[in-house]
Amino acid sequence: MTNSSPATKADATKLEQESRNATKAQLAEFWYYFSQNKGAVIGLVVFALLVFMAVFAPLIAPHDPDFQYRDSFLVPPVWQDGGKVAFLLGTDAVGRDILSRLIFGAQFSLFIGVVVVTIALTGGIVIGLVAGYMRGTVDTFIMRVMDVILAFPSLLLALVLVAILGPGLMNAMIAIAIVLQPHFVRLTRAAVLAERSRDYVIAAKVAGAGHLRLMFKTILPNCLAPLIVQATLSFSNAILDAAALGFLGMGAQPPTPEWGTMLAEAREFILRAWWVVTFPGLAILITVLAINLVGDGLRDALDPKLKRS
Amino acid sequence: MLRFLLGRFGLLIPTFLGVTLVAFSFIRLLPGDPAELLAGERGISPERKAEVMAQLGFDKPYWQQYIDYVLGIFQGDLGISFASKKPVLDEFLTLFPATAELALCAIILAVCIGIPAGIFAAVKRGSFWDQTIMGTALVGYSMPIFWWGLLLIILFSGILQWTPVSGRISLLYFFPQVTGFMLIDSLLSGQKGAFLSAVQHLILPSIVLATIPLAVIARQTRSAMLEVLGEDYVRTAKAKGLGPSRVVGMHALRNALIPVITTIGLQVGVLLAGAILTETIFSWPGIGKWLVDSISRRDYFVVQGGLLLIAGIIMMVNLIVDLLYGLVNPRIRHH
């Protein structure tokens, strides 16, 4: 039954063109609403700069982040008495350039965000889809397990998981991903429950689509909006939690220039050298704030309820 | 109402069992020899090892160990801390008032500032004030609180020397613990200056711990108010000629506060997680610092017990919030 008359072909091309135009129009609409939110645009620009900084860290950083200048311990920032032009933001207790460490630290923070969100999102979507699609005992079991994870404060659970897995950046990321996952599971499940009895899903089912196709190709694309917003928020949470674990000595280990770990190393100097404490924290705050601004903008642009108001 | 209450309570049972299973598995999943880990002794002889395993009940099959563990919980037996050789529950109860005092002060601060700020931002929607308040709230929400604490120490303890760096009260004062709440005990002691010292010690940690809940509450109050302010009954109230303060205070606020109550309840988890960091920075002798210290000195029965008790507290508070929510919102109760 292969029908490839010219008319059908033309129809198919036209349909394809239309769908492409529709996607374009959707993107344009999305950008319109996103760019209405000035904070979100600023956040996006800052975030882009951070990505640039992380990617080109070896080219931008004035010094090797781990090199210890033995003649320059705790040099203050350049604008303060005793500051040196070579060390714009000063040096730490063992003579390492803080600016270079911050620039390299951006690599770690963004890497943490990407890895954690990827693990949590993938796991969350699969588990949530299964729960929402299967219903019954599977659903109940999955949701009770998620309730258990959510019954613990996230940082405490992450700390305990790291105690089991052993301190280190990789294990900290796994722990944070496990702790953040239930949010994705709940969101996906709720979205699937709302979508599964809609006409287009039933039509696909009647047309003979298998379970996997129904779950991943038919339902999932229509549940993405809340997941994207949650992914952005989890990205910033992951950076914060990883920094907190680093600060408590359970995340990245010294001499890694991870911002939280840098803060932990700097703690004993807080009353003597304000700059060793101030800049790493400021870097965390700026990064997290930029991502949260983007997250707010995405929510405004993707949530149809807010668009109308 | 009774059915609603029982229903909510019933939902807690599987979660509680799950929590006990997590706490139970924690010790058994730790890498290394459990006998060496839990006895805190290295390179022990096989005889001593067998003795320790039998003492801890680790020689029994897992299912039996689990049943013993859960039965033990109901008798208040959460194991013994090998650092202090005291029962975990006793240690927890001694330290908990310090965390409770800190968390209570923080949540009071967050509610007293967050709700009015949120209302004000909603009423002045789009204005300079709205943008400033919401901008500040977003900064607070994004704040790495361990760094925020250090900054406040640099400013208020280092440069201005207004507040002490750590602890709950100056070493000059000594009085018996009555309630465990330093503010109350210092007043009861009647010692001059004790109360002031307690306040000075409490103020920075409270601000640090309140930061994130305050931001969340302000944002939630604003969006709840905005939703309610668009409702027909608010328009009717305005049309009747009521003044703005009456419309906002009497008609809008009551309904807007319902979701805010849930948000406040959810902050308990945030507070307890925040306490871990805040207490570490300010050397505050509460359960957050106790747990971090116990993890680093491998006092695993303490970590296990702490996990269980903290999850238990969060579950109880969530249940209370759920019930309160049902009480103020009949639609939920009859759902």
Side-chain angles (χ1 to χ4, degrees), chain B:
Chain B
M1 187 66 202
L2 187 70
R3 243 184 85 183
F4 170 74
L5 209 149
L6 287 177
R8 285 297 149 110
F9 203 77
L11 269 180
L12 272 191
I13 295 171
T15 316
F16 179 74
L17 286 177
V19 167
T20 57
L21 200 61
V22 171
F24 171 80
S25 318
F26 162 66
I27 282 192
R28 284 145 188 97
L29 283 174
L30 286 167
D33 186 347
E36 276 188 26
L37 279 174
L38 298 173
E41 300 165 21
R42 281 182 194 281
I44 52 177
S45 66
E47 296 82 42
R48 172 76 184 128
K49 187 179 162 179
E51 192 189 326
V52 171
M53 294 294 263
Q55 200 182 352
L56 296 170
F58 276 41
D59 51 347
K60 295 178 194 162
Y62 277 132
W63 62 267
Q64 203 173 346
Q65 288 182 37
Y66 177 66
I67 291 175
D68 288 349
Y69 174 66
V70 175
L71 289 178
I73 292 171
F74 285 109
Q75 292 158 359
D77 174 18
L78 296 176
I80 307 270
S81 152
F82 67 66
S84 67
K85 308 286 178 220
K86 281 188 207 154
V88 172
L89 187 63
D90 290 0
E91 278 206 342
F92 180 88
L93 293 175
T94 318
L95 296 170
F96 185 67
T99 302
E101 184 175 39
L102 178 59
L104 270 175
C105 284
I107 199 73
I108 290 171
L109 202 66
V111 168
C112 289
I113 301 175
I115 291 185
I119 296 172
F120 190 68
V123 173
K124 304 268 176 203
R125 185 184 188 182
S127 71
F128 166 77
W129 287 109
D130 179 22
Q131 286 173 356
T132 312
I133 292 173
M134 284 305 109
T136 316
L138 195 67
V139 172
Y141 180 69
S142 311
M143 189 65 85
I145 60 165
F146 43 99
W147 174 67
W148 178 224
L150 295 178
L151 280 193
L152 292 179
I153 290 178
I154 293 180
L155 180 63
F156 290 104
S157 310
I159 300 172
L160 297 171
Q161 307 222 318
W162 286 357
T163 56
V165 180
S166 63
R168 290 182 77 190
I169 195 158
S170 161
L171 294 172
L172 296 172
Y173 305 101
F174 186 79
F175 40 81
Q177 265 201 7
V178 183
T179 58
F181 281 56
M182 207 50 98
L183 289 180
I184 300 174
D185 287 357
S186 62
L187 273 181
L188 290 177
S189 76
Q191 291 181 35
K192 218 179 151 200
F195 180 71
L196 190 68
S197 171
V199 172
Q200 280 178 333
H201 281 79
L202 187 58
I203 201 153
L204 287 190
S206 300
I207 293 174
V208 170
L209 192 54
T211 304
I212 291 178
L214 188 136
V216 174
I217 290 171
R219 278 163 67 100
Q220 176 68 44
T221 308
R222 177 181 179 270
S223 66
M225 274 304 274
L226 282 181
E227 206 158 290
V228 173
L229 284 176
E231 295 281 341
D232 288 345
Y233 63 83
V234 171
R235 204 176 49 200
T236 311
K238 273 186 204 159
K240 276 198 309 190
L242 293 183
S245 58
R246 234 181 126 73
V247 173
V248 172
M250 289 289 290
H251 290 78
L253 189 58
R254 278 180 165 194
N255 289 296
L257 280 185
I258 295 175
V260 177
I261 293 176
T262 316
T263 310
I264 296 172
L266 288 176
Q267 296 312 306
V268 176
V270 178
L271 284 173
L272 289 173
I276 294 174
L277 293 165
T278 313
E279 292 180 1
T280 307
I281 300 163
F282 291 97
S283 302
W284 188 264
I287 48 171
K289 186 170 182 304
W290 176 57
L291 283 174
V292 172
D293 291 347
S294 301
I295 289 178
S296 49
R297 51 168 186 254
R298 299 170 180 274
D299 196 346
Y300 290 122
F301 274 119
V302 168
V303 182
Q304 187 190 37
L307 259 179
L308 186 76
L309 290 166
I310 287 182
I313 292 173
I314 293 181
M315 282 163 58
M316 285 320 289
V317 173
N318 285 347
L319 177 72
I320 294 170
V321 171
D322 255 11
L323 297 180
L324 272 181
Y325 199 68
L327 213 64
V328 291
N329 192 349
R331 274 177 298 183
I332 304 280
R333 204 186 320 156
H334 298 301
H335 194 59

Side-chain angles (χ1 to χ4, degrees), chain A residues 104-161:
Chain A
F104 275 90
Q107 288 184 336
F108 287 96
S109 285
L110 296 180
F111 176 67
I112 292 164
V114 171
V115 173
V116 168
V117 169
T118 311
I119 301 176
L121 188 68
T122 320
I125 286 179
V126 173
I127 300 173
L129 271 174
V130 170
Y133 188 82
M134 300 284 197
R135 304 300 315 267
T137 337
V138 179
D139 181 27
T140 313
F141 177 74
I142 290 177
M143 294 325 284
R144 288 296 84 80
V145 173
M146 296 304 133
D147 281 352
V148 171
I149 299 180
L150 288 173
F152 297 100
S154 60
L155 185 64
L156 178 61
L157 193 57
L159 263 175
V160 166
L161 286 171

